[in-house]
């Protein structure tokens, strides 16, 4: 009894159980009460409340860098070799695009163009457009003329032809060896495009593929060549050595060339130095000797791959990485390596 009131006695176990239940009970409150929102005031936080992070500042504007100026637009002058007004072309990065630009200017199909020469309207293989164009060169486009068929019978292993191609699917004759089988056929001329062998079209084949087909023709068995000669030039067309003076789109000097590449974009670069010129000529001679082709762009690429290499193995590996499709024989690679070394060391 306490203060005159009777209380029921509690055991020690009951007291512990009640205390434990009270500790486990959740805090009381309305069932749908939501947590109180944080204060939105900008003043100091009330004592005991959670501090809030200040808002992030707006991002700074990017720093202004130096102004970028577009490259000058290179403009080249061009004519059809058999006679036409002068046109101007620009914006090409490889031979196919060059032909497309010329075709657009003269309203012809690009497939009509067999090859181009630089600074001469004549079928002059020394002036043949290869992988480089001087920034003041005048471009003459030679288009399809008459088609002719010639029957050929091999009397020896070699026909006496050197083949090149225009970089856009047309192989043509660059050189005829004096006294050879082909030299006896006066209807076959330098500059003729080889369109078919035994009625099998070879349009789209590279020069080395065409040379291989001709080499595989058996001796003593006649075969037929379908040739397309360049359209004849008018006599009144004179030789152009320089493009007319023009400042439009030109910010260049005469020591630079536009290098056209079969893979990648065209680049403006310095005219090749004496070493590169001599080495490229020697490699082009070896291409003719081993493969029956001439290709200054290919020769230039080979020289570029080998001029900084220390040994033939490194050279062969570098060449395979850029020209693996050609599968050059080892003896050719060693001769090329030797020729580059001879020019580099002044032995030629």
């Amino acid at each position: 009894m306490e203060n005159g009131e009777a209380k029921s006695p509690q055991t020690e176990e009951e007291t512990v159980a009640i205390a434990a239940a009270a500790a486990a009970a959740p805090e009381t409150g309305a069932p749908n009460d939501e947590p109180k929102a944080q204060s939105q005031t900008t003043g100091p936080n009330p004592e005991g409340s959670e501090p809030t992070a200040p808002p992030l500042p707006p991002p700074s504007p990017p720093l202004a860098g130096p102004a970028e100026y577009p490259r000058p637009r290179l403009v080249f002058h061009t004519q059809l070799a058999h006679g036409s007004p002068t046109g101007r072309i620009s914006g090409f990065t490889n031979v196919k695009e060059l032909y497309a630009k010329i075709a657009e200017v003269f309203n012809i199909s690009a497939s009509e163009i067999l090859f181009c020469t630089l600074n001469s309207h004549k079928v002059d293989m020394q002036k043949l457009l290869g992988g480089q164009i001087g920034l003041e060169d005048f471009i003459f486009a030679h288009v399809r003329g008459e088609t002719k068929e010639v029957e050929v019978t091999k009397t020896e292993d070699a026909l006496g032809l050197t083949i090149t191609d225009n970089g856009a699917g047309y192989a043509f004759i660059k050189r005829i060896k004096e006294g050879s089988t082909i030299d006896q056929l006066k209807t076959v001329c330098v500059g003729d495009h080889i369109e078919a062998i035994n009625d099998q079209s070879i349009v789209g084949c590279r020069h080395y593929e065409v040379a291989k087909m001709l080499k595989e023709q058996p001796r003593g068995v006649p075969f037929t060549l379908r040739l397309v000669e360049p359209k004849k030039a008018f006599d009144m067309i004179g030789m152009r050595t320089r493009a007319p003076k023009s400042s439009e789109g030109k910010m260049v000097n005469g020591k630079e060339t536009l290098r056209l590449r079969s893979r990648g974009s065209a680049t403006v670069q310095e005219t090749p130095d004496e070493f590169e010129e001599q080495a490229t000529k020697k490699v082009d001679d070896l291409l003719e000797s081993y493969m029956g082709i001439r290709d200054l762009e290919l020769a230039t690429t080979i020289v570029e791959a080998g001029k900084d290499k220390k040994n033939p193995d490194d050279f062969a590996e570098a060449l395979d990485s850029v020209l693996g499709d050609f599968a050059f024989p080892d003896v050719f690679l060693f001769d090329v390596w030797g020729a580059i070394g001879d020019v580099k060391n002044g032995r030629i």
Side-chain angles (χ1 to χ4, degrees), residues 305-346:
K307 65 182 180 181
D308 297 327
K309 298 301 178 288
K310 303 300 183 185
N311 57 66
D313 290 338
D314 290 346
F315 169 56
E317 184 177 344
L319 202 60
D320 188 58
S321 68
V322 293
L323 296 171
D325 293 343
F326 283 84
F328 295 116
D330 289 342
V331 63
F332 171 78
L333 296 180
F334 278 110
D335 279 357
V336 169
W337 173 255
I340 293 175
D342 288 344
V343 175
K344 187 182 297 184
N345 297 316

Side-chain angles (χ1 to χ4, degrees), residues 47 68 101 121 130 198 222 244 261 264 300 305 341:
E47 185 176 353
E68 293 186 3
K101 293 289 184 180
H121 71 281
N198 285 334
R261 302 177 187 273
T300 300

Side-chain angles (χ1 to χ4, degrees), residues 13-277:
E13 289 82 357
E14 289 175 331
T15 303
V16 172
I18 293 171
E27 294 180 5
T28 59
N32 295 324
D33 280 351
E34 295 291 334
K36 294 183 179 179
Q38 293 183 350
S39 173
Q40 300 299 315
T41 62
T42 58
N45 291 327
E47 185 176 353
S49 63
E50 290 291 332
T52 58
L56 294 175
S60 302
L63 296 177
E68 293 186 3
Y69 297 96
R71 288 180 58 86
R73 185 168 62 96
L74 304 178
V75 178
F76 295 86
H77 293 78
T78 184
Q79 285 184 358
L80 300 180
H82 65 278
S84 75
T86 298
R88 293 197 289 189
I89 56 174
S90 63
F92 55 89
T93 61
N94 55 51
V95 172
K96 288 184 179 180
E97 291 179 6
L98 166 64
Y99 287 3
K101 293 289 184 180
I102 295 174
E104 182 180 348
V105 167
F106 296 113
N107 196 28
I108 62 175
S109 169
S111 63
E112 291 291 305
I113 301 174
L114 297 181
F115 56 86
C116 293
T117 50
L118 300 177
N119 306 317
S120 174
H121 71 281
K122 298 178 181 179
V123 180
D124 184 349
M125 295 295 106
Q126 300 303 315
K127 304 288 186 179
L128 190 66
L129 184 150
Q132 294 182 339
I133 307 175
L135 298 185
E136 294 184 359
D137 282 343
F138 200 111
I139 303 171
F140 288 89
H142 297 255
V143 301
R144 294 173 64 96
E146 295 183 3
T147 301
K148 54 194 176 184
E149 288 198 355
V150 181
E151 186 176 273
V152 183
T153 302
K154 273 177 116 175
T155 57
E156 50 189 354
D157 289 338
L159 287 169
L161 285 177
T162 298
I163 309 297
T164 190
D165 64 44
N166 67 355
Y170 287 172
F172 57 94
I173 300 170
K174 187 171 185 179
R175 181 181 296 178
I176 298 175
K177 183 179 179 181
E178 186 176 355
S180 64
T181 299
I182 293 295
D183 190 40
Q184 309 303 316
L185 303 171
K186 299 306 178 184
T187 54
V188 181
C189 303
V190 168
D192 285 353
H193 159 49
I194 304 175
E195 190 173 54
I197 301 174
N198 285 334
D199 292 327
Q200 177 186 349
S201 173
I202 58 169
V203 173
C205 295
R206 292 301 312 273
H207 44 30
Y208 64 93
E209 296 172 314
V210 177
K212 185 173 182 289
M213 293 177 197
L214 292 173
K215 187 175 182 179
E216 291 173 348
Q217 297 299 318
R219 294 175 64 171
V221 179
F223 66 94
T224 301
L225 290 177
R226 184 162 75 241
L227 307 172
V228 180
E229 64 183 32
K231 197 168 186 178
K232 302 298 184 187
F234 297 141
D235 291 336
M236 73 282 293
I237 301 179
M239 181 175 176
R240 302 292 182 93
T241 57
R242 289 292 175 191
K245 297 288 184 181
S246 172
S247 60
E248 180 186 352
K250 286 289 194 88
M251 294 176 61
V252 297
N253 63 63
K255 294 183 179 180
E256 292 179 318
T257 63
L258 182 68
R259 173 77 188 277
L260 302 178
R261 302 177 187 273
S262 55
R263 299 177 182 176
S265 300
T267 55
V268 176
Q269 60 186 38
E270 292 295 316
T271 302
D273 58 25
E274 184 178 356
F275 159 73
E276 290 173 335
E277 284 186 351

